[in-house]
Amino acid sequence: MNRILACRELRARAPQTALSWFSSLNISRSVHGLPFATVEAEEISGSQPAEVLNLVQGKWKKTARWNTILDPLNGEPFIKVSEVDETGIQPFVESLSKCPKHGLHNPFKAPERYLMFGDISAKAAHMLSLPKVFDFFTRLIQRVAPKSYQQASGEVYVTRKFLENFAGDQVRFLARSFGVPGNHLGQQSHGFRWPYGPVAIVTPFNFPLEIPVLQLMGALYMGNKPILKVDSKVSIVMEQMMRLLHYCGLPIEDVEFINSDGKTMNKLLLEANTRMTLFTGSSRVAEKLALDLKGRVKLEDAGFDWKILGPDVQEEDYVAWVCDQDAYACSGQKCSAQSMLFIHENWSKTSLLSKMKDLAERRNLEDLTIGPVLTVTTETMLEHKNKLLQISGSKLLFGGEPLKNHSIPPIYGAIEPTAIYVPLEEILKGNNFDLVTREIFGPFQVVTDYRSDQLPLVLDAVERMHAHLTAAVVSNDPLFLQEVIGNSVNGTTYAGLRARTTGAPQNHWSLETQGELALGPQKQ
């Protein structure tokens, strides 16, 4: 009875507690600006460099080793990242080793933590809905991974909506179990979503907020203790988000945050014996991790993503706009960016390509609709262009020149949005195929066309590609859709007149969190 009364008292006090939290938030904001932030996005510069620290065993710490990050737009050393080397991983290893295999919580242990994370999600979502906080993260993303305000704010918006999805009771609903009748009286089979325990999350530079937050929260919801490593070029964004999450109630000991090079992180993963690692990045590193970790890894690696325009020509302006967005938004630095465009002969007779060219030429550095490429140099992209142009029948459709009048440092790429036409028959030749389907993580795409009787050749081309991440089939012809979708495979295929390769809607994440991102096996 005393326990029942205590629970009733807690429930009665809950609205008041929430009200007190929001009241204190408003007071803090009016007096201190952003109470969680340690930087001002607009003030980070060579004369006022920001510092990024590591979080281990509940404390933010510096190391003796600093990695200086250059401003992608002007080359100034504007961020100092405190990086851990191989001699400094032991505190992280010890912290992870203290987390048992059954996790920090599970359906039979500390179930109140499911509710705690529902509250944290609600508070964090509210924070990201505040214009000043929303703008802070948008601007911070722009500083380290230059993209247009619209693209950067979209990342913040999706993150906020994800957190809203898991407010209240939704975290424990994510842990929903199942029961199956047994063979005889008294026998039943029950399955539960169970944590792995100590886990690791490694994320890339191109989505410095959205990818790590969604993956981190999915791991935490199910009771895991994660160590998070974000590409050092952009880790300041997630460091500030970690501070926001702590402000919203996340226990500071629940997550380890490390800055290091790849070699150090690889050593840490092996010594800490993490029971699962979620890696988003290059296929080369992914293949190494799969071997080193003996399969205890979930991967999202490269994507040479294709789009096929079907025989039914409609909404030419809209399709041209989507093609431009898919290929060149974020300067093509999306794993789902449009790498190859197959145009049906009916579309070839329209002004589609000229409209794509006009849209591409509107992009500029002033509004960051085109910008620095952080993993591929200008020389590499121009060299690839020249090799493609040596293929018989190929031609430059637009772009193909370095950006002018800028101060982007030479360690990064700076090239106009580029499209190169290569005949379909030439693409399929053995000595050309690997070259044409090489992924260039920048504003670069290959375009080809086909006749109706050449659709089997198109399907052969997409079958031979090895990185089946996203694809789009732009058509409302049901028979055409059935033929292409039934004879291709991708992580995600968008179909219909509005099909695109990028811009995954927010509702994807609520589904995927129940699988990959939850970082938890089923327990029976």
Side-chain angles (χ1 to χ4, degrees), residues 211-516:
I211 291 177
V213 171
L214 272 56
Q215 296 182 351
L216 174 69
M217 298 308 291
L220 288 169
Y221 291 156
M222 291 300 99
N224 300 288
K225 176 161 186 173
I227 180 168
L228 174 64
K229 178 193 171 345
V230 181
D231 189 312
S232 292
K233 292 191 291 291
V234 299
S235 62
I236 190 171
V237 177
M238 199 57 202
E239 189 225 39
Q240 295 299 300
M241 186 65 194
M242 288 294 304
R243 295 178 187 274
L244 181 148
L245 291 170
H246 293 151
Y247 182 77
C248 294
L250 174 67
I252 198 167
E253 303 86 1
D254 276 16
V255 181
E256 309 295 284
F257 181 76
I258 187 171
N259 300 289
S260 72
D261 60 23
K263 185 179 178 183
T264 298
M265 190 63 187
N266 190 265
K267 180 179 176 65
L268 190 155
L269 292 175
L270 295 175
E271 293 197 10
N273 197 29
T274 51
R275 300 194 64 239
M276 183 56 68
T277 294
L278 182 54
F279 173 81
T280 307
S282 77
S283 53
R284 178 183 58 82
V285 177
E287 290 168 3
K288 180 179 181 353
L289 285 176
L291 292 173
D292 291 349
L293 301 178
K294 298 179 172 63
R296 299 191 307 274
V297 60
K298 295 179 181 289
L299 303 173
E300 182 190 324
D301 54 357
F304 188 86
D305 308 295
W306 50 264
K307 177 184 289 181
I308 299 174
L309 304 188
D312 46 326
V313 176
Q314 304 175 63
E315 302 292 341
E316 185 180 324
D317 289 341
Y318 176 78
V319 172
W321 176 81
V322 173
C323 287
D324 174 76
Q325 286 289 103
D326 282 349
Y328 306 126
C330 298
S331 300
Q333 296 172 101
K334 296 183 181 182
C335 53
S336 55
Q338 177 179 302
S339 302
M340 181 173 285
L341 178 62
F342 297 89
I343 299 176
H344 188 275
E345 59 182 339
N346 293 348
W347 283 96
S348 299
K349 300 171 186 175
T350 70
S351 56
L352 174 74
L353 288 176
S354 65
K355 289 180 177 179
M356 288 172 53
K357 180 177 184 290
D358 292 342
L359 290 168
E361 291 175 348
R362 289 169 52 187
R363 295 181 173 272
N364 60 82
L365 273 169
E366 284 69 29
D367 59 10
L368 292 179
T369 49
I370 194 68
V373 177
L374 301 190
T375 57
V376 189
T377 64
T378 302
E379 290 73 17
T380 297
M381 289 185 282
L382 293 178
E383 181 183 2
H384 185 63
K385 177 201 75 170
N386 292 332
K387 288 181 178 179
L388 289 176
L389 291 177
Q390 292 173 14
I391 297 174
S392 176
S394 65
K395 59 184 177 182
L396 180 68
L397 296 176
F398 52 82
E401 295 295 329
L403 294 179
K404 298 178 176 61
N405 303 318
H406 65 81
S407 52
I408 296 171
I411 61 171
Y412 300 135
I415 190 174
E416 295 174 350
T418 299
I420 294 180
Y421 172 84
V422 182
L424 178 60
E425 296 88 345
E426 294 295 326
I427 291 175
L428 292 171
K429 290 182 178 177
N431 56 339
N432 290 337
F433 191 80
D434 288 344
L435 173 65
V436 173
T437 58
R438 177 188 173 189
E439 183 184 14
I440 297 294
F441 211 56
F444 200 106
Q445 68 172 320
V446 173
V447 178
T448 192
D449 54 12
Y450 69 99
R451 302 184 307 272
S452 292
D453 62 354
Q454 290 180 308
L455 182 58
L457 298 181
V458 174
L459 295 176
D460 178 45
V462 301
E463 173 71 15
R464 287 168 60 182
M465 296 175 193
H466 70 276
H468 302 285
L469 188 62
T470 65
V473 188
V474 182
S475 175
N476 280 340
D477 182 332
L479 295 179
F480 182 84
L481 290 173
Q482 182 175 326
E483 179 71 11
V484 175
I485 296 172
N487 290 282
S488 60
V489 58
N490 298 285
T492 302
T493 300
Y494 300 86
L497 188 64
R498 297 176 62 86
R500 56 188 307 165
T501 64
T502 67
Q506 175 271 336
N507 57 44
H508 279 200
W509 298 110
S510 60
L511 296 173
E512 292 184 10
T513 300
Q514 298 180 43
E516 175 184 337

